[in-house]
């Protein structure tokens, strides 16, 4: 708490030393990181000491990088990456969270980030990937019962593994906007999102290519509600969505490729049980990976104007005329397709 960031062994400032100094010094509220991989060391996941294992966030802190493809915080398999203590808020922007691994020693849940009860996580343009939890929440385990405990924008959560809720396991209220939950795998439960105990709002979210034991996409557990707006559920194995003591609600503009198990009441512009025609998860402009919509995708221009955001996950303007009918409308999901060129619309030669 002397205002000087010094590593334990070399004396040089590193990510652990910076976080420890922020915890000890009320005046430090933010950390700016450059283009680098910031790897964790001092591997003792069972120790509560912040000098070992994961990065313990004990007070409000904002960590900003230069972009998810430039700035990486890598646990290198020694523990989870971040553990947010009760009462603290962690805001991450422009970086990647990778390499978290949890087991019984340090608590099995939340390999990427664990949100303890009474704490909050805010993500903006963040990639959370390749984290492996022995328990719940490979990417994120939200164990907080506070309101707005999880706020995610313009981010991608992919290739995480866990017993269930491999992408996100959440017990607290929150919202996800213009983000992608993709290719996460659960050994026993749901691959993409598990929500129980409170409400989770998804606006312009793509949940695609996740796998699990019985449901790939999302499950609403006891006391939980997942509300979908202008979102896209596609190609999850085996099911896109399911209620298990909770509820799923549509506010319209959603496209669900396998909706028979969702037990959801349809609203305006909802489409069920069709090929969503999406591409692979790739960087396609912007700073985080998305699933592009093919030219004939039914998700083009399917969103409702009342839930339309000004830009998509990549920061590209919404709405565009993606289906060539002469009317601009928002697409369902995190990706806004390009406007169909006039030479395609008038390919017959008429003007």
């Amino acid at each position: 708490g002397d205002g000087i960031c010094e590593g334990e062994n070399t004396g040089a400032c590193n990510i652990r030393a910076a976080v420890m100094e922020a915890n000890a010094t009320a005046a430090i509220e933010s950390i700016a990181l450059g283009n680098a991989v910031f790897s964790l060391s001092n591997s003792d996941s069972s120790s509560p000491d912040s000098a070992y294992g994961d990065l313990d966030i004990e007070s409000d802190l904002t960590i900003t990088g230069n972009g998810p493809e430039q700035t990486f915080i890598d646990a290198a398999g020694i523990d989870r990456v971040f553990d947010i203590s009760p009462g603290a808020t962690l805001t991450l922007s422009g970086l990647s969270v990778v390499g978290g691994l949890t087991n019984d020693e340090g608590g099995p849940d939340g390999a990427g980030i664990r949100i303890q009860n009474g704490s909050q996580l805010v993500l903006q343009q963040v990639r959370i990937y390749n984290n492996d939890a022995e328990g719940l929440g490979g990417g994120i385990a939200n164990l907080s019962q506070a309101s707005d405990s999880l706020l995610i924008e313009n981010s991608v959560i992919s290739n995480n593994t866990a017993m269930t809720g491999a992408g996100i396991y959440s017990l607290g209220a929150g919202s996800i906007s213009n983000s992608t939950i993709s290719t996460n795998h659960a050994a026993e439960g749901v691959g993409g999102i598990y929500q129980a105990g409170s409400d989770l709002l998804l606006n312009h979210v793509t949940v695609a290519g996740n796998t699990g034991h019985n449901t790939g996409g999302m499950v609403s557990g006891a006391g939980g509600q997942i509300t979908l707006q202008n979102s896209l559920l596609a190609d999850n194995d085996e099911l896109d969505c399911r209620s298990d003591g909770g509820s799923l609600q549509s506010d319209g503009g959603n496209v669900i490729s396998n909706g028979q198990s969702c037990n959801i009441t349809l609203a305006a512009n909802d489409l069920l049980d069709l090929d969503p025609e999406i591409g692979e998860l790739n960087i396609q402009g912007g700073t985080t990976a998305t699933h592009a919509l093919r030219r004939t995708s039914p998700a083009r221009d399917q969103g409702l104007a009342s839930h339309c955001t000004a830009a998509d996950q990549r920061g590209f303007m919404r709405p565009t005329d993606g289906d060539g009918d002469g009317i601009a409308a928002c697409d369902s999901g995190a990706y806004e397709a390009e406007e169909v060129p006039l030479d395609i619309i008038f390919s017959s030669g008429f003007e």
Side-chain angles (χ1 to χ4, degrees), residues 295 324 339-348:
R295 180 62 57 85
E339 188 163 323
V340 176
L342 290 177
D343 59 348
I344 299 294
I345 299 172
F346 300 117
S347 58
S348 65

Side-chain angles (χ1 to χ4, degrees), residues 243-318:
S243 297
D244 185 16
S247 62
L248 293 160
Q249 176 177 319
S250 171
D251 283 352
N254 304 296
V255 175
I256 303 174
S257 66
N258 181 6
Q260 292 301 316
S261 63
C262 294
N263 191 25
I264 189 170
T265 300
L266 298 185
N269 282 35
D270 283 343
L271 295 176
L272 296 184
D273 302 323
L274 37 70
D275 184 355
E277 299 188 49
I278 62 172
E280 298 295 322
L281 184 67
N282 284 308
I283 296 289
Q284 304 174 90
T287 61
T288 52
T290 53
H291 289 279
L293 303 178
R294 297 195 177 101
R295 180 62 57 85
T296 55
S297 170
R300 288 187 177 225
D301 286 18
Q302 195 62 27
L304 294 179
S306 56
H307 304 312
C308 188
T309 58
D312 72 358
Q313 178 181 316
R314 304 165 299 160
F316 287 31
M317 183 187 69
R318 295 187 193 268

Side-chain angles (χ1 to χ4, degrees), residues 80-99:
R80 68 176 53 82
V81 186
F82 288 103
D83 193 11
I84 312 174
S85 298
T89 294
L90 174 63
T91 300
L92 300 177
S93 177
L95 54 82
S96 286
V97 174
V98 59

Side-chain angles (χ1 to χ4, degrees), residues 2 30 38 40 58 60 117 127 208 246:
D2 58 4
S30 63
F38 297 88
L40 305 188
E58 299 172 356
D60 293 355
N117 194 18
R127 179 188 182 196

Side-chain angles (χ1 to χ4, degrees), residues 41-94:
S41 57
N42 296 352
S43 57
D44 185 358
S45 61
S46 63
S47 173
D49 191 327
S50 58
Y52 299 93
D54 54 30
L55 297 174
D56 297 324
I57 306 301
E58 299 172 356
S59 59
D60 293 355
L61 181 64
T62 297
I63 303 177
T64 304
N66 286 340
E69 298 299 314
Q70 288 76 40
T71 304
F72 302 82
I73 302 178
D74 186 354
I78 69 166
D79 198 351
R80 68 176 53 82
V81 186
F82 288 103
D83 193 11
I84 312 174
S85 298
T89 294
L90 174 63
T91 300
L92 300 177
S93 177

